[in-house]
């Protein structure tokens, strides 16, 4: 988003190293860079905004082409639940300079056949005593654990090398991951 890029550029100018840190606009499916990077990070299930296998494979190929040999690409995904999602795990509060935001991210419904997860994000804002609430609805990829493994293999650009839990514990690669984890 242009607003996020403006914010990132401002923070880089204030606190970062403008020579080694840059904020660039791009689409996940087609973004490719002339220089190579040591690492890339796709956090908070952002890859879930790519809903088709073809878009995800294209993204993985382009990202793999932008990472040096021996580099890493860290992807954080939220997998399909075996049962009901534990919504308490998806509530957090951030506070800074007199502004408090309580965020609740919840699954409204999943469509297993279409591999889509319909979700809502509600932010309750207290800005120096002025309160407001904002809800955003999102449709994301409903990840089954084997999907990512298979799409990485299809991309031919990356190797599925490690698996970690939400608590950053190394797991055996054959571990079947579900939303409960």
């Amino acid at each position: 988003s242009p607003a996020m890029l403006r914010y990132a550029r401002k923070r880089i100018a204030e606190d970062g190293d403008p020579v080694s840190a840059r904020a660039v606009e791009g689409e996940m499916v087609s973004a490719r860079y002339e220089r190579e990077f040591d690492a890339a990070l796709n956090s908070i299930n952002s890859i879930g905004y790519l809903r088709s296998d073809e878009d995800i494979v294209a993204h993985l190929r382009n990202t793999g082409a932008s990472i040096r040999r021996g580099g890493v690409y860290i992807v954080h995904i939220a997998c399909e639940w075996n049962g009901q999602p534990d919504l308490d795990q998806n509530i957090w509060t951030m506070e800074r300079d007199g502004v408090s935001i309580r965020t609740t991210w919840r699954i409204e419904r999943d469509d297993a056949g279409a591999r889509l997860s319909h979700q809502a994000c509600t932010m309750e804002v207290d800005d120096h005593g002025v309160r407001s609430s904002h809800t955003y609805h999102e449709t994301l990829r409903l990840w089954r654990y084997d999907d990512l493994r298979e799409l990485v293999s299809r991309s031919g650009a990356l190797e599925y090398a490690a698996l970690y839990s939400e608590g950053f514990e190394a797991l055996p690669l054959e571990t079947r991951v579900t939303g409960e984890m």
Side-chain angles (χ1 to χ4, degrees):
S1 101
M4 291 174 76
L5 283 169
R6 282 192 302 276
Y7 177 80
R9 288 177 179 137
K10 179 181 176 218
R11 293 300 306 265
I12 290 168
E14 292 171 353
D15 302 328
D17 176 359
V19 173
S20 62
R22 293 184 297 144
V24 296
E25 185 174 0
E27 295 289 329
M28 277 196 288
V29 174
S30 58
R32 207 165 186 167
Y33 304 94
E34 289 185 22
R35 72 179 264 211
E36 290 182 319
F37 298 91
D38 294 323
L41 172 67
N42 193 305
S43 62
I44 317 172
N45 201 30
S46 294
I47 198 171
Y49 287 97
L50 302 178
R51 297 183 286 204
S52 76
D53 288 357
E54 295 75 25
D55 284 351
I56 295 164
V57 169
H59 164 72
L60 294 170
R61 283 183 181 142
N62 285 323
T63 301
S66 299
I67 298 174
R68 282 189 186 102
R69 184 177 179 86
V72 297
Y73 182 33
I74 300 168
V75 178
H76 174 241
I77 64 170
C79 289
E80 178 180 41
W81 289 70
N82 282 334
Q84 287 295 101
D86 181 0
L87 297 179
D88 291 338
Q89 290 184 357
N90 294 306
I91 299 172
W92 63 92
T93 301
M94 304 278 299
E95 296 180 30
R96 183 173 167 183
D97 300 329
V99 177
S100 171
I101 302 175
R102 181 176 190 263
T103 303
T104 304
W105 194 284
R106 69 184 183 285
I107 298 170
E108 295 180 311
R109 68 182 176 80
D110 287 339
D111 180 342
R115 290 191 173 155
L116 297 176
S117 182
H118 303 277
Q119 304 182 13
C121 176
T122 300
M123 295 183 192
E124 299 168 22
V125 180
D126 182 339
D127 186 350
H128 298 88
V130 177
R131 297 173 193 255
S132 60
S133 181
H134 312 274
T135 299
Y136 307 93
H137 297 274
E138 303 287 349
T139 301
L140 302 170
R141 168 74 177 232
L142 178 60
W143 287 103
R144 294 189 183 118
Y145 173 65
D146 292 333
D147 290 349
L148 184 62
R149 191 184 285 264
E150 190 258 324
L151 294 171
V152 166
S153 177
R154 270 181 46 193
S155 78
L158 297 165
E159 174 188 354
Y160 196 91
L163 175 66
Y164 292 87
S165 72
E166 190 72 17
F168 306 107
E169 298 171 44
L171 300 172
L173 281 177
E174 62 275 0
T175 302
R176 182 153 183 83
V177 179
T178 66
E180 286 82 355
M181 296 178 75

